[in-house]
Amino acid sequence: MRLSRMFYRTMKEIPKEASIPSHQLMFRAGMIQQVSSGIYNYLPLALKSLRKIETIIREVLKKNDCEEVLLPVVQPADLWKESGRWEFYGDELLRFTDRRNNEFCLGPTHEEVITDMVRRNLKSYKQLPWNLFQIQTKFRDEIRPRFGLMRGREFIMKDGYSFDRDSDTSRETYYRMYRAYEEIFNRTGLQYKAVEALTGNIGGSLSHEFQVLADSGEDLILSCPGCSYAANIEKGRTVFASGRPVEQVNERSTDIHTPDAGSIEEVSEFLGRDPIDFIKTLLYKIDGEPALVLVRGDREVNEEKILSVLQANKIELADEETVRILCGTETGYVGPVGLYGKVTILADRSIEGRSGMICGANRKDYHRINVNWERDYRVDRIDDFSFARSGDPCPLCGMPMEEYRGIEVGQVFHLGTKYSDSMGCTYLDSEGKEQPAHMGCYGIGVGRTLAAAIEQNHDESGIVWPAAIAPYEVIVMPLQMNSEEVLEAGEAIYRDLMEAGVDVLIDDRAERAGFKFNDADLIGYPLQIGIGKKSLENGVVELKIRKSGEKLELSPSEVPAFVSEFLGREKVK
Ligand code: ATP
Ligand code: MG
């Protein structure tokens, strides 16, 4: 490609909403343009990189016996009603009606449509396994679209879905996809971690996210320095040393007056006790049913974990009226004592076995002290209902875990039969018995991967592309456009590289050398070749490796071999 003919413009200024480097640089490099909040034009440079990511994805998936399909963006509500998600998906699902008043939505993900497609083709166990994917535009009406392609409303996703005969084969497929994702992200050249994750809106029981490590990441990851365990902090399993034995606090539990102190901070200050000695008690409504959730005073309730443990869909804090009816007081003074049997009580492991605790006394302005596990209150269920945090012991080896920031670029889910059960996606087994297909689903944010690549690879001059996904691999820059020899040498190298299959660009604009260098650094082509009059007289051209800043001189005839060797080294196969 000739830069003089390219639809492209670099910019010095940064739009004020662009707060992170990838967004700023994509804008300055003329890669994207906002059309509406969270909705972008992808300009040629961005699309070239996006296509390279897509090619890597396609190559790896096809090697793993996955087939490509293309499903509609516009999806009928009926399918979503069948799966039950019409009700639970929330406001991210953009719903609308057509001229005949039929309800539709824009696909944020495609479990419903693909399950419908497969159930209409699936008859016998002999047809399975199937593994289908597409690369397509999704729409999610995100509450806070931001960071450019990182969190758009309209974005490109690779989504894949597997259908197996049973749980074991479906798990094998899950781990095969997990390994395929490792290969995909290795080939993009990004630093990432695969972490345990919650399944959220999609459902299922087993899931991993692929997180690109970057300071601006929206996700917090806990990772063990001693072993392979890593998890999204939402999901991170918490391990607690068991509480003090009951014998240590023999005093009877009693109410004490704590006027105007409702929050843990206020009461702990008032009593001079550490938040760790408190039972934080919150009344929730989970799928409409009230439930009391208990966590230690220094911990936070993790609502997603509750949904996941109870296999529930909706969780919200109960309103004051419900708190008054069930607990006889107002929020801030609620505690578990005396409520067993009246409302479901869910206890986080952080309070298991602890004695001498403090909690609300279920009367205004009073708290209860010396509250012992089992002696003073009982619970219906103990599980992991709180957020893990940095320094918590690793659930596998006990080492204190460390915290990182990450950008979720992909996620794999082992779904089980959630959709095949609700939508009747079944087959006849070898004995003629009807069985549900076992599913998995696998997403990669293509645009987000591009943004994450920049987030992880940039410096003060601009982007530093990993070679595998750079919009062009090499830029050839004739530095004096008025010199015949320079132009000729530039054209010759450009031609040679094209013939060698290199993705090469020539900067044939009538611009100064400094201007060309700045643009080349900003866009971040992995290799820059400068053709200057003086060096040509010495029989050489100048090469600069963008990543290391290393410069070298080669004769024009040596360039193609060097470039092939360089790219071969840079690109992980
Ligand atoms: P997040 O938690 O960041 O909102 P998600 O977990 O809801 O994402 P998935 O349903 O797992 O997203 O979608 C698969 C992939 O699609 C994600 O791993 C991410 O890379 C990408 N993705 C999701 N939402 C967006 C978005 N709003 N903009 C760009 N990419 C997105
Ligand atoms: Mg996800």
Side-chain angles (χ1 to χ4, degrees):
M1 183 72 205
R2 292 178 181 281
L3 231 166
S4 62
R5 290 166 182 259
M6 216 158 93
F7 180 75
Y8 144 99
R9 180 165 84 109
T10 53
M11 267 157 288
K12 285 218 164 56
E13 71 276 16
I14 301 167
K16 63 176 183 315
E17 71 275 10
S19 56
I20 60 168
S22 59
H23 190 186
Q24 295 170 351
L25 287 167
M26 272 201 210
F27 177 82
R28 284 189 49 210
M31 299 182 78
I32 55 167
Q33 227 173 25
Q34 183 170 304
V35 179
S36 177
S37 168
I39 300 179
Y40 290 88
N41 287 330
Y42 304 103
L43 278 58
L45 279 178
L47 194 64
K48 271 201 105 235
S49 282
L50 287 171
R51 292 283 185 253
K52 289 192 180 178
I53 296 172
E54 293 176 5
T55 300
I56 293 174
I57 294 173
R58 285 195 172 93
E59 282 176 10
V60 175
L61 291 183
K62 286 181 181 169
K63 220 167 64 181
N64 281 282
D65 301 321
C66 305
E67 277 185 296
E68 189 164 357
V69 290
L70 190 56
L71 309 176
V73 178
V74 173
Q75 306 184 359
D78 290 346
L79 291 179
W80 285 74
K81 286 179 183 165
E82 267 191 73
S83 73
R85 285 206 293 186
W86 188 253
E87 188 182 346
F88 293 116
Y89 206 92
D91 291 339
E92 271 182 29
L93 190 65
L94 186 66
R95 301 154 210 250
F96 57 97
T97 51
D98 68 5
R99 63 168 82 197
R100 294 184 191 83
N101 252 346
N102 296 315
E103 290 176 298
F104 286 91
C105 63
L106 290 183
T109 174
H110 278 69
E111 284 78 10
E112 281 76 2
V113 173
I114 194 117
T115 307
D116 173 58
M117 184 184 96
V118 166
R119 73 180 166 185
R120 292 197 267 149
N121 284 269
L122 180 58
K123 298 280 176 271
S124 153
Y125 69 97
K126 289 181 191 156
Q127 293 170 284
L128 296 178
W130 279 331
N131 200 335
L132 303 162
F133 75 98
Q134 61 172 345
I135 298 180
Q136 188 226 33
T137 297
K138 298 278 184 271
F139 193 94
R140 294 183 183 178
D141 200 357
E142 296 275 354
I143 189 162
R144 283 179 68 203
R146 58 196 169 137
F147 304 152
L149 299 193
M150 200 78 92
R151 185 170 296 284
R153 292 199 295 163
E154 187 181 291
F155 57 97
I156 302 170
M157 197 205 283
K158 184 293 290 188
D159 48 328
Y161 306 87
S162 62
F163 297 81
D164 278 279
R165 292 180 195 178
D166 54 40
S167 180
D168 285 350
T169 47
S170 163
R171 250 174 189 267
E172 279 167 27
T173 304
Y174 176 87
Y175 283 107
R176 191 173 179 191
M177 286 297 104
Y178 180 105
R179 289 190 299 274
Y181 270 42
E182 288 181 325
E183 187 178 342
I184 289 169
F185 291 115
N186 285 339
R187 280 186 55 183
T188 59
L190 300 180
Q191 300 293 319
Y192 68 94
K193 259 184 204 296
V195 308
E196 284 188 6
L198 285 170
T199 53
N201 255 336
I202 308 283
S205 51
L206 169 66
S207 181
H208 287 86
E209 287 166 351
F210 287 76
Q211 295 270 358
V212 166
L213 304 177
D215 293 340
S216 62
E218 290 185 283
D219 288 10
L220 282 174
I221 300 162
L222 288 176
S223 172
C224 174
C227 72
S228 61
Y229 182 79
N232 191 310
I233 216 155
E234 287 179 345
K235 163 84 179 191
R237 284 178 256 161
T238 48
V239 183
F240 296 99
S242 53
R244 279 167 277 168
V246 174
E247 302 81 65
Q248 284 194 3
V249 178
N250 285 327
E251 292 98 309
R252 280 187 42 214
S253 91
T254 45
D255 288 359
I256 51 163
H257 194 213
T258 51
D260 298 324
S263 70
I264 301 266
E265 293 72 46
E266 288 161 353
V267 193
S268 72
E269 200 179 308
F270 183 80
L271 297 177
R273 294 278 298 269
D274 202 282
I276 205 167
D277 292 331
F278 284 73
I279 303 171
K280 193 186 278 183
T281 311
L282 295 165
L283 186 65
Y284 277 96
K285 273 194 172 162
I286 304 170
D287 285 348
E289 291 298 317
L292 218 50
V293 178
L294 317 178
V295 298
R296 214 168 61 188
D298 61 325
R299 293 280 162 166
E300 299 302 328
V301 174
N302 184 333
E303 297 179 358
E304 290 296 327
K305 275 190 185 170
I306 297 176
L307 289 180
S308 164
V309 169
L310 303 186
Q311 291 288 299
N313 287 304
K314 194 169 175 199
I315 182 163
E316 57 188 345
L317 278 170
D319 53 58
E320 280 300 326
E321 183 59 21
T322 314
V323 175
R324 229 180 338 269
I325 294 168
L326 283 173
C327 312
T329 184
E330 59 189 65
T331 304
Y333 302 97
V334 177
V337 180
L339 292 181
Y340 182 73
K342 295 184 182 146
V343 57
T344 304
I345 305 181
L346 308 173
D348 180 54
R349 292 232 165 82
S350 55
I351 58 163
E352 185 177 6
R354 290 194 167 255
S355 61
M357 302 291 278
I358 304 159
C359 62
N362 294 325
R363 61 171 165 144
K364 185 161 163 47
D365 290 338
Y366 282 86
H367 277 78
R368 207 166 173 85
I369 57 167
N370 300 326
V371 176
N372 289 3
W373 176 257
E374 283 185 342
R375 185 191 73 177
D376 298 310
Y377 70 102
R378 292 178 60 196
V379 305
D380 294 280
R381 184 158 184 171
I382 310 165
D383 214 311
D384 182 358
F385 294 124
S386 62
F387 280 97
R389 64 185 180 206
S390 158
D392 276 0
C394 166
L396 301 187
C397 75
M399 283 258 278
M401 292 191 288
E402 292 168 357
E403 196 176 276
Y404 297 88
R405 286 207 159 270
I407 300 166
E408 180 202 321
V409 286
Q411 188 166 10
V412 290
F413 301 82
H414 185 237
L415 291 173
T417 57
K418 178 179 155 117
Y419 297 92
S420 24
D421 282 340
S422 60
M423 297 184 65
C425 180
T426 59
Y427 68 92
L428 295 179
D429 67 14
S430 57
E431 276 143 36
K433 261 183 42 202
E434 196 172 3
Q435 302 286 357
H438 285 253
M439 291 174 59
C441 77
Y442 318 96
I444 293 180
V446 180
R448 190 181 283 181
T449 301
L450 187 76
I454 299 176
E455 213 50 55
Q456 203 175 60
N457 299 284
H458 67 269
D459 60 20
E460 59 290 340
S461 309
I463 305 169
V464 186
W465 285 109
I469 59 174
Y472 289 92
E473 293 164 335
V474 178
I475 185 163
V476 177
M477 294 179 288
L479 300 174
Q480 292 86 22
M481 294 300 286
N482 52 6
S483 152
E484 277 301 315
E485 303 86 75
V486 166
L487 285 182
E488 253 168 45
E491 290 293 335
I493 290 176
Y494 172 58
R495 242 187 350 261
D496 288 350
L497 290 178
M498 268 200 299
E499 270 162 25
V502 175
D503 195 9
V504 59
L505 180 70
I506 184 163
D507 191 347
D508 56 346
R509 297 172 300 174
E511 296 285 358
R512 284 177 298 107
F515 188 86
K516 291 187 178 183
F517 284 130
N518 284 346
D519 262 15
D521 277 348
L522 174 61
I523 314 273
Y525 310 103
L527 199 57
Q528 304 171 5
I529 305 179
I531 294 132
K533 216 169 168 175
K534 275 225 178 79
S535 14
L536 263 192
E537 280 163 16
N538 297 328
V540 293
V541 294
E542 287 165 22
L543 284 79
K544 182 174 121 182
I545 297 170
R546 175 69 177 91
K547 190 156 69 185
S548 60
E550 194 187 331
K551 289 186 180 152
L552 60 156
E553 294 186 337
L554 292 178
S555 76
S557 62
E558 292 171 319
V559 168
F562 175 83
V563 171
S564 304
E565 193 266 330
F566 169 81
L567 291 174
R569 192 165 12 110
E570 286 295 305
K571 289 201 240 171
V572 189
K573 273 285 173 215

